[in-house]
Amino acid sequence: MYKFVIALAVSILALAGMTGDAGAKSRYSIQPGDILQIEVLEDKSLNRNALVLPDGTISFPVVGTVRASGRSVDAVRANLTAGLASNFATTPNVYVSVAQLGERRGAAAPATISIYAMGEVAKPGMFEAEPGITLLQALASVGGFSKFAAVKRVQLRRADPKTGIEQIYLFNYKGGGIAGSTPLRDGDVIAVPERKLFE
């Protein structure tokens, strides 16, 4: 009887611990710079990692732009499921998790700027850089382009800190558009789209 009580107590404590971890995960508030892993059981071609942009959104095929910052992974999953539902015979099974936390800068952090890289680059995500880093230097910092990159249609997306209005500047790695020596600013996003079939 004594052994049974001990075993029961251990089981209850283990269960409580697992529940606590799950609760902590569900309460986590997604932040810009985080990378979300999204999987759709019914269509593996949709599986991908999505970077949470400075404006707090992610982009996902078919669904489009979804607000993620300040929300839980469950809330984002619900949005994606609803957005995809009309494209499937039955409600799709969508799984969302935080694959990587964005770097958080503390008060004692050195003077750096946050640059975001997304799309067809070797290492998408957010990274800290010295002020004055150029567009080409930033691309080198993320490992360069993937083999599917549309190197002639690279975008530098920059939001006005006062108005929030975003400007998009085009950069052609082969030559054209803004210069590769363009200095970047805090919050700039480098977006590298996927190359088209005959591009």
Side-chain angles (χ1 to χ4, degrees), residues 47-157:
N47 295 353
R48 65 198 59 226
N49 287 344
L51 172 68
V52 182
L53 298 176
D55 66 0
T57 63
I58 60 170
S59 294
F60 197 76
V62 181
V63 181
T65 301
V66 174
R67 175 152 292 282
S69 182
R71 308 179 70 203
S72 68
V73 291
D74 288 340
V76 173
R77 180 186 58 76
N79 266 145
L80 292 172
T81 302
L84 290 169
S86 62
N87 295 277
F88 294 88
T90 59
T91 304
N93 292 286
V94 180
Y95 301 95
V96 179
S97 60
V98 179
Q100 181 180 323
L101 294 175
E103 294 181 23
R104 311 285 187 248
R105 288 185 294 168
T112 58
I113 60 174
S114 298
I115 304 298
Y116 299 78
M118 61 182 291
E120 298 301 325
V121 293
K123 296 183 289 184
M126 183 188 85
F127 68 95
E128 300 290 328
E130 293 294 323
I133 187 173
T134 68
L135 178 55
L136 275 178
Q137 288 171 337
L139 285 168
S141 295
V142 295
F145 302 111
S146 78
K147 62 181 180 179
F148 301 109
V151 298
K152 296 181 180 180
R153 293 188 291 114
V154 178
Q155 297 178 359
L156 171 59
R157 306 175 78 103

